[in-house]
Amino acid sequence: MNETSQFLEAVKQNDAQRVSEMLSSNPELARVAEGFDKTGLHWAAELDHIDVARVLVDAGADITAKTSWGASPLEWAAWMGSKHVAEFLLSRGAGPLTFIGSAALGNLEEVKAIVESGVDLNSQRRTVAPLTPDEHWPPDSAHILGDTLSEALFAAARNGHG
């Protein structure tokens, strides 16, 4: 297993100490990505590994990095229902949280505020990278095609907020 794979495995295993040690030896690891352009911070966001997310951001991880389907770590944390990492990323300047992200995290007051603001809800959709006819959405992207309200409802229900 190469260094990048070892590093990302430590992230997935929520081994903040090992992640920190590896970053001390090679700070560039904070920005490495693997399949679908998922960085260590995307993995920490997906798995709600708050201690690892802190180590990564403190080491210079890009809080705006995008996966191949266009999700930032904040968007991915919200989509996966990872409330702790989402709150942490917001505190570090990521954002703003969209209508769909707010619904995915069960933030009813924020959902109401967005709707009451009169903003075009279609502007709140996740941005996604275009696919060629031979490509498909990765299984863990849970991307659905449809209107913004349907996607927000799906995200909320998926994470137990339905």
Side-chain angles (χ1 to χ4, degrees):
M1 190 181 298
N2 66 33
E3 184 181 30
T4 296
S5 296
Q6 290 174 9
F7 176 74
L8 293 173
E9 188 59 32
V11 169
K12 294 173 196 176
Q13 294 299 318
N14 200 23
D15 191 342
Q17 181 176 343
R18 179 75 177 130
V19 168
S20 182
E21 290 168 359
M22 292 183 79
L23 287 167
S24 292
S25 298
N26 184 356
E28 296 300 315
L29 290 170
R31 293 177 172 259
V32 299
E34 63 177 2
F36 303 113
D37 297 329
K38 283 174 79 173
T39 65
L41 190 54
H42 283 98
W43 279 109
E46 177 174 328
L47 301 167
D48 209 17
H49 292 333
I50 184 64
D51 293 334
V52 171
R54 281 190 187 104
V55 169
L56 289 167
V57 171
D58 289 345
D62 183 1
I63 64 173
T64 65
K66 299 284 187 173
T67 60
S68 61
W69 63 88
S72 70
L74 174 62
E75 291 167 322
W76 198 231
W79 188 255
M80 299 304 291
S82 298
K83 192 170 191 100
H84 296 104
V85 172
E87 289 171 353
F88 168 71
L89 291 171
L90 285 165
S91 77
R92 290 297 188 96
L97 200 55
T98 64
F99 174 71
I100 294 168
S102 296
L105 290 171
N107 294 342
L108 184 57
E109 291 306 313
E110 182 66 20
V111 168
K112 286 180 183 178
I114 292 170
V115 170
E116 290 170 358
S117 76
V119 68
D120 176 13
L121 293 182
N122 287 324
S123 72
Q124 299 287 300
R125 288 184 58 85
R126 292 185 298 140
T127 57
V128 294
L131 297 175
T132 66
D134 296 333
E135 293 178 310
H136 60 25
W137 291 104
D140 62 350
S141 74
H143 181 75
I144 61 172
L145 297 175
D147 64 87
T148 306
L149 289 173
S150 295
E151 193 166 352
L153 177 60
F154 175 82
R158 177 185 184 277
N159 293 334
H161 306 295

